[in-house]
Amino acid sequence: KLLGDGGSGVVCTGWALLALMAAECEDTGAVKRGVQYLMRRQLPNGDWPQEGISGVFNRACGITYTAYRNVFPIWAIARYHSSYQPLFKC
């Protein structure tokens, strides 16, 4: 079983990848594995599955932003291919 499969894996992975790439993380293997995880989780129609809650409001209310599951994975994959991958030649 892959980590993240039971929770909000694609959203959090997208956030983490964007941060790592903005910091020019030199652990290219970790970044590449994160991108591969996002690509594996993508559905045939291009969407990503709705996973667990994406945030908590007022410490009591779980929130799911349906656009997050598409926006952040696409953004992370695009940044990887357009700037991170060429920078580190990975």
Side-chain angles (χ1 to χ4, degrees), residues 14-15 17-18 21 38 48 70-82:
W15 287 340
L17 286 170
L18 288 168
M21 289 185 284
L38 292 178
W48 275 269
N70 293 310
V71 170
F72 292 104
I74 288 171
W75 187 0
I77 291 170
R79 178 172 283 175
Y80 177 79
H81 287 290
S82 68

Side-chain angles (χ1 to χ4, degrees), residues 8-86:
S8 55
V10 297
V11 174
C12 292
T13 300
W15 287 340
L17 286 170
L18 288 168
L20 289 169
M21 289 185 284
E24 297 184 357
C25 174
E26 294 183 11
D27 187 352
T28 59
V31 174
K32 186 174 183 177
R33 286 189 303 275
V35 170
Q36 289 170 339
Y37 170 78
L38 292 178
M39 293 171 73
R40 276 194 314 272
R41 298 288 294 153
Q42 192 172 21
L43 301 173
N45 68 357
D47 199 358
W48 275 269
Q50 183 62 54
E51 298 174 326
I53 59 173
S54 302
V56 176
F57 174 73
N58 204 17
R59 291 186 266 165
C61 179
I63 299 174
T64 300
Y65 299 103
T66 54
Y68 278 26
R69 73 174 190 251
N70 293 310
V71 170
F72 292 104
I74 288 171
W75 187 0
I77 291 170
R79 178 172 283 175
Y80 177 79
H81 287 290
S82 68
S83 57
Y84 185 83
Q85 191 178 35

